[in-house]
Amino acid sequence: TGFHYHSLGALDKAEEYYKMSLQKANEVNYLKGLSNSYLNLAALYNNLSDYSKALDANLAATAIFHKLGDLSSTASCYINIAVIYTSLNQHKTAIEYHRKIRDREMTKSKLDYIEGIGEKKRTELLKQFGSVKNIKEASIEDLMKVKGISKELAEKLKKEL
């Protein structure tokens, strides 16, 4: 509903619904919903040229996406933050955020695109096997020895790598 009001230009009403969504997601500890609510608020505040609030909302979403191990959404937040800093004529800070995006993209591996493999499992797999190549060559039984890797996930790793 907030998005509907936002698209109609009823920004006060949109903010009200975005904040209700934020509250509900927080009550049930739904992190993905919480981060998306922050992004909606950030877009709204950006439209209102309230860059301070937009920045705060983007930073909150970034922290949640980072906690969830969602690298793609974290990178998108960095882009939003860089745009805000550009709007504030803080070009040096904007460039720093663009560098974060570039650095994050350069360190991605095939593991980052496999559903069910978050930052913790990726770290454990790489700690155990040393490289994506070694993970690919490992047996399903060896993959299952890594904390959090079920038979189904091990099979998925073998298939997608």
Side-chain angles (χ1 to χ4, degrees):
T1 306
F3 183 76
H4 178 72
Y5 282 117
H6 193 160
S7 65
L8 293 174
L11 303 182
D12 289 341
K13 204 71 169 156
E15 182 180 25
E16 177 185 333
Y17 278 92
Y18 290 152
K19 285 182 176 180
M20 282 193 298
S21 174
L22 188 68
Q23 181 182 354
K24 293 295 181 190
N26 196 35
E27 286 173 7
V28 296
N29 199 32
Y30 177 45
L31 295 180
K32 186 73 171 174
L34 197 58
S35 58
N36 287 332
S37 295
Y38 276 121
L39 285 180
N40 289 335
L41 280 168
L44 174 83
Y45 294 139
N46 201 40
N47 287 352
L48 294 169
S49 299
D50 190 340
Y51 300 120
S52 177
K53 285 184 178 179
L55 186 59
D56 288 345
N58 268 299
L59 289 169
T62 303
I64 295 167
F65 285 129
H66 183 72
K67 182 177 181 177
L68 291 170
D70 186 341
L71 299 178
S72 177
S73 296
T74 302
S76 293
C77 287
Y78 285 152
I79 291 169
N80 295 341
I81 292 166
V83 168
I84 292 168
Y85 278 120
T86 300
S87 298
L88 293 169
N89 291 321
Q90 294 181 16
H91 300 291
K92 184 177 180 180
T93 308
I95 290 167
E96 289 172 13
Y97 275 92
H98 281 293
R99 286 184 178 144
K100 284 184 180 186
I101 298 162
R102 182 198 62 210
D103 292 346
R104 186 167 296 273
E105 289 299 315
M106 289 173 60
T107 59
K108 279 190 175 182
S109 73
K110 289 183 180 181
L111 293 173
D112 294 311
Y113 301 99
I114 298 175
E115 189 176 333
I117 301 294
E119 191 172 337
K120 288 180 183 177
K121 289 179 186 171
R122 181 186 65 151
T123 301
E124 287 299 316
L125 285 162
L126 290 171
K127 192 185 303 181
Q128 179 75 27
F129 295 102
S131 70
V132 174
K133 181 180 182 251
N134 291 343
I135 295 168
K136 182 179 180 178
E137 293 172 357
S139 68
I140 289 176
E141 292 76 22
D142 286 338
L143 291 171
M144 290 172 51
K145 292 177 184 174
V146 175
K147 182 180 178 181
I149 305 296
S150 64
K151 182 175 182 179
E152 294 78 21
L153 192 51
E155 290 170 348
K156 187 175 193 176
L157 278 165
K158 295 292 285 181
K159 178 182 174 189
E160 295 191 25
L161 289 178

